[in-house]
Amino acid sequence: MHKLLVDQPGATKFLLGNEAIARGAIEAGVAFTSTYPGTPSSEISLNFFQMSRESDLYFEYSTNEKVALEVAAAAANAGVRSMCVMKHVGVNVAADTLMTLAYVGVRGGLVILTADDPYMFSSQNEQDNRYYGKLSGLPILEPSSAEEAKEMMDYAFELSEQLQEPVLFRTTTRLNHSTAPVVLGEMKKRVTSGDFPKDPFNYVTVPAVSRKLHVKLLKNLEKAEALACESAYNFIKGSGGWGIICNGVSYNYVTDAVRDLNIADKVKVLRVGFSHPMPKTLIQSFIKDCEKVLVVEEGEPFMEEMVKAFAQEIQYTNPVKGKDPELFSRLFEFDPAMVRSNIAKYFGVSYDAKDLTDLSDIPELPQRPPTLCAGCSHRAVFYAVNQATEGAGTIRTTDIGCYTLGFLPPLSAGDFLICMGSSVSTGCGFSKTTDKKVISFIGDSTFFHSGIPGLVNAVFNNHDVNLIILDNQITAMTGHQPHPGVDMKGMNYNGFNQISIESVVKGLGVEHISVIKPYNVKKSIAAIKEAIAHKGVSVIIARQGCTLFEKSLKKHVGKPFYVSDKCKNHKNCLNDLGCPAFYVEEDKVRINAALCSGCGVCAQICPEHAILPLK
Amino acid sequence: MDITRLIIVAVGGQGNLLSSKVLGEAACRLGVPVRMSEIHGMAQRGGVVESAMIFGDAQSTIISDGEADLFLAFEPLEALRALNRCNSKTIVITNTSKLPPFTAAIGKGTYPDIEIIKGLIQSKVGQLITLDANALAKEAGNELSVNMVLLGALIETNVLPITADSIHEAISETTKKAFVETNIKAVELGRSAVKQ
């Protein structure tokens, strides 16, 4: 049985934040779940997927976040408790839906989880999604720890049903990817089906209906604010003349700092866990007798600005600070020492900060950037593109996935990237405005997610771009999730269909289409040359399963290669491919057999044919 | 309860996430408060993987620069790179077996001599313990049990309130059945390698 389905109330499990969140949803009786995978939220959906295989929980990997939210919105409006999981930038994709869903509301509980990524451990920006609460008018809950996240999930569903609105559940990487002992609770029964009573004058958002719904939304906001002021998740610890207001993981750093600085009798801490609408009267009564107030929050001054506005209403004129050149930054994530020293500085507490180790005599060390795996077919494609376009000025627009890593030398296969699906459309803009040939790279999952509209646009407006779809037949970057192009039957998952990328591309009217096997270097180069010579839209589908995934399935384990005595040290293999299986020993090129997957690309490009398979 | 902060650094694929999981499970069994935090977005792409584990009554799940009491490195270059996490009292344990990054292979930077690495670390921390965990893993019967060898060396320092028995139990529960025996052997080899 799946470890998160175990019925053992009171048992303590050492759970990842994301596991605790999934368990919390299960305990709350969630019955319908959807997602598009994205770090740091991916493990929540992975656990839902696994549990859906052995229970009546419904789960789907949806095409993108907008679709995921729409299926969940309808399920919730049929009265079924639903949850939709995405990373912070996924909410941008779903934002169109979110903004008007806030007007329409829900009947059964709907929790939308947004996993923010301060410091951008695995994201293209560090936007603070609390502003989505403000923008849409929806309530936001923010836990501080794995165990609280589990507990708060039940409340999130209750709150959603009470207000008849979706609830935004906001986490950050340090919560999603932290692990702690979590006590399991009772599991509510899942109600997996409901009904949708027709009421078009409340559900069909034509202007006349929406005018009415916006009034309802604002009334709901008032109700929510009253609830926030009373919420057990907005609590005060300690007493004293100094005030600290904090949220999320910052609360942990504040708690540790108050203990380390020995100031528990001087400071009171307001932890805001129900952060939109901000609990106005609670905050006003908290600050009114404080000598000064410090707001500790990662990201934007979301709470700080509100606290200052609330202070103005009650003519509170003592200092309120947070984001400040001398205190906290809007950049990146916080850490315990930073919070400790800023609290000490702001309130004038003396303490001996530890001297940092003097590292001035450490030599410059070789970097260890993440890189495409040994045998990754993306490398083979990028090499072939470099050969096919040698000497020709090209612009390479790229997209979000493992293949983004190809932007680094020696492959240099990426000049421009904004977000999911941007490769094709930005390619169109560059091709119209420069005299360079444009090549766009997109992964299979990303193509389905948001690449198709860009390709439609390219065909309709007759752009001159070559799109290479890097089809490794899985969503590799986030941990090998399925997507609409995956052969689910082949992986023993029944009940799915498979969509052929060729058929889609053909159906869109692309004139020049070719399919290549990336490990065949010569043929790949020839096909790329041909595609580039085509004036207009051309598409190459480069198909080869993800090496890492196939290794995990014990499929395709090729014989490793070695460098024989015929080697004359041209080092093309080393310098042009950047494969991590290679190393140099006493100026001789060598291949680490344990890493080599046997793709054979290096063997094909060696001018001396010196690279041979191990017998 | 006193707070002990441990940082583990490794190269993606060396299995440090499993070793921290085993350690955390062992702490849970003993009722020792524990929290940990990991960054594993790029774990399988050859980048550096870092775990922070905090034992005792702290709320934070991460460790600031200079504040590790214990520091375990799966690879000597990464030990040196992460030295900013340590202070003059930190106990450092490092594997001496090298895993040169690809950048060094193509001539972008030089991998420092192992004796220089040891000397630099020694000069800045409280205590340095070194062992060739790869050789011991091989001796245990599985080259991939480097993580368990290092786990053994770590608990032998007796800084953490974690017993060898609880580690054995956590291994039996957490790791794949076929590997339990070699994993326990690897832990024991790690322990005896650093026994003083």
Side-chain angles (χ1 to χ4, degrees), chain A residues 229-303:
Chain A
C229 287
E230 317 252 288
S231 170
Y233 292 112
N234 293 335
F235 57 80
I236 298 167
K237 285 256 169 93
S239 58
W242 304 335
I244 294 177
I245 300 174
C246 56
N247 70 328
V249 295
S250 302
Y251 170 66
N252 305 325
Y253 311 150
V254 167
T255 306
D256 287 350
V258 167
R259 188 204 47 230
D260 293 348
L261 296 170
N262 203 12
I263 53 170
D265 56 337
K266 296 192 180 72
V267 65
K268 57 177 181 177
V269 176
L270 169 60
R271 201 297 303 266
V272 179
F274 187 154
S275 60
H276 187 264
M278 281 282 276
K280 182 160 94 174
T281 51
L282 176 69
I283 288 173
Q284 287 175 334
S285 80
F286 177 82
I287 59 174
K288 72 175 188 308
D289 41 279
C290 286
E291 290 161 36
K292 57 203 297 200
V293 174
L294 182 66
V295 184
V296 186
E297 58 186 327
E298 289 179 330
E300 301 298 317
F302 177 87
M303 296 199 295

Side-chain angles (χ1 to χ4, degrees), chain A residues 498-562:
Chain A
Q498 183 178 11
I499 295 158
S500 135
I501 295 178
E502 283 102 310
S503 308
V504 172
V505 174
K506 219 179 263 171
L508 296 182
V510 174
E511 288 164 0
H512 186 105
I513 305 170
S514 46
V515 180
I516 59 171
K517 291 181 178 165
Y519 292 163
N520 190 324
V521 178
K522 245 189 209 158
K523 279 192 182 163
S524 297
I525 295 174
I528 293 165
K529 277 187 176 160
E530 237 178 74
I532 294 173
H534 177 83
K535 183 93 180 135
V537 180
S538 58
V539 170
I540 296 172
I541 301 164
R543 181 163 298 140
Q544 175 62 49
C546 166
T547 320
L548 194 59
F549 188 53
E550 298 208 331
K551 256 190 196 166
S552 76
L553 294 179
K554 311 253 181 303
K555 244 166 100 180
H556 169 85
V557 180
K559 272 191 184 156
F561 283 67
Y562 74 104

Side-chain angles (χ1 to χ4, degrees), chain A residues 204-224:
Chain A
V204 179
T205 54
V206 294
V209 172
S210 290
R211 284 183 202 119
K212 209 170 63 179
L213 295 177
H214 196 187
V215 174
K216 180 188 76 168
L217 174 64
L218 296 189
K219 275 199 189 132
N220 256 346
L221 261 177
E222 278 174 31
K223 262 192 247 171

Side-chain angles (χ1 to χ4, degrees), chain B residues 20-90:
Chain B
S20 49
K21 191 165 178 221
V22 167
L23 195 54
E25 292 280 355
C28 278
R29 287 173 166 273
L30 297 167
V32 173
V34 60
R35 294 182 178 276
M36 84 182 182
S37 177
E38 288 156 349
I39 288 302
H40 40 104
M42 296 282 179
Q44 291 184 303
R45 312 290 184 277
V48 182
V49 186
E50 185 179 299
S51 318
M53 297 188 78
I54 303 169
F55 301 84
D57 300 319
Q59 294 293 312
S60 305
T61 62
I62 60 173
I63 300 168
S64 299
D65 286 353
E67 300 199 345
D69 302 301
L70 270 173
F71 176 79
L72 176 64
F74 281 45
E75 205 279 338
L77 173 67
E78 296 316 317
L80 189 55
R81 198 194 308 279
L83 215 50
N84 60 326
R85 319 294 264 128
C86 303
N87 58 53
S88 58
K89 292 192 182 113
T90 309

Side-chain angles (χ1 to χ4, degrees), chain A residues 43 147 174 177-179 181 253 256 259 335-337 340 357-358 361 366-368 370-371 476 578-579 584, chain B residues 3 24 34-38 40 45 57 59-60 62 64 67 75 78 80-81 86 99 101-103 105 110 124:
Chain A
E43 296 86 358
E147 57 269 41
R174 291 302 186 175
H177 287 169
S178 69
T179 308
Y253 311 150
D256 287 350
R259 188 204 47 230
D335 66 78
R340 190 193 308 133
T357 313
D358 176 16
D361 56 343
Q367 293 299 308
R368 197 187 295 274
T371 175
C579 173
V584 179
Chain B
I3 296 164
V34 60
R35 294 182 178 276
M36 84 182 182
S37 177
E38 288 156 349
H40 40 104
R45 312 290 184 277
D57 300 319
Q59 294 293 312
S60 305
I62 60 173
S64 299
E67 300 199 345
E75 205 279 338
E78 296 316 317
L80 189 55
R81 198 194 308 279
C86 303
L99 205 64
F102 178 73
T103 47
T110 317
K124 296 178 196 300

Side-chain angles (χ1 to χ4, degrees), chain A residues 175-192:
Chain A
L175 187 138
N176 298 97
H177 287 169
S178 69
T179 308
V182 175
V183 181
L184 302 185
E186 306 268 355
M187 290 187 285
K188 288 194 181 130
K189 198 180 155 18
R190 273 184 292 285
V191 179
T192 56

